[in-house]
Amino acid sequence: MPRAEPGRAVPHAGGVSEDEFRAALARLAAGVVLVTAHDEEEGPRGEDVGMTATAFLSVSLDPPLVMVSVRNGSRMDDVLERQPLWAVSLLAEGQRQIAGRFAMKGRVSDRLLFEDLTHTRGEASGAPLISGSLATLECRTEQRVQAGDHTLVVARVLTAHTPSMAGGPLTYFRGRYRHLS
């Protein structure tokens, strides 16, 4: 195993440290989405949950499949394990505040986060679809794959809408939300 230099993190068995890996991938620009679901098991009427994600991508055109990566043991991981229907809102550059709100760690409930947020409820998923998003998708989980400290959730797209064409996408680059110039 390679020896760490003084002041540097110890490399993983593969040779790259967590800090080196994080720094390298921070240079990969990514689109920002809000993944949502309705957790029917929470409270008498259920509760809406949301998670900001940058690890979201198209997997297949035929059939239409997408994938999102969720941290193992997170609230969204727990919900998507038992709730196969969920939604994705592709955030526009003016929706930075929404992304930040749902990226907060350690929050107890998402109820207040949705309270003043304009959204509709998806017909296929029952999940919140964020108004003003560039596009919204409703999905049904087809496969869950364990990958290190995350789970890759592969889902069939049930509906796809492009309600807004105004502005560009919200992106994440070098640890900050950005927009295309």
Side-chain angles (χ1 to χ4, degrees), residues 12-13 18 22 24-25 29 36 53 63 70-71 75 85 93-94 99 113 118 129 133-134 158 163 170 172-173 178 181:
H12 290 277
E18 190 174 300
R22 183 176 285 124
L25 291 187
T36 57
V70 296
R71 181 177 297 282
R75 173 115 189 258
L85 299 173
E93 59 193 359
L113 299 179
T118 306
L129 303 171
S133 297
L134 295 178
L158 304 174
L170 181 61
Y172 194 73
F173 179 70
R178 312 219 184 209
S181 307

Side-chain angles (χ1 to χ4, degrees), residues 1-5 8-18 20:
M1 178 148 164
R3 233 182 248 200
E5 297 173 24
R8 277 187 88 179
V10 177
H12 290 277
V16 64
S17 74
E18 190 174 300
E20 291 167 329

Side-chain angles (χ1 to χ4, degrees), residues 33-39 49-51 53 55-57 65-70 76 79-89 122-129 136-144 151-159:
V33 302
L34 184 66
V35 178
T36 57
H38 185 72
D39 185 0
V49 295
M51 175 194 87
F56 175 80
L57 57 98
L65 299 174
V66 294
M67 184 193 75
V68 67
S69 177
V70 296
M76 188 58 76
V79 170
L80 294 184
E81 188 170 25
R82 64 179 186 271
Q83 167 57 279
L85 299 173
W86 47 282
V88 178
S89 297
E123 289 183 32
S125 67
L129 303 171
T136 58
L137 307 170
E138 291 184 89
C139 306
R140 182 186 66 234
T141 300
E142 296 221 337
Q143 187 176 9
R144 292 173 53 88
T151 298
L152 308 177
V153 182
V154 178
R156 182 177 297 258
V157 176
L158 304 174
T159 69

Side-chain angles (χ1 to χ4, degrees), residues 58-66:
S58 167
V59 173
S60 168
L61 186 58
D62 185 18
L65 299 174
V66 294

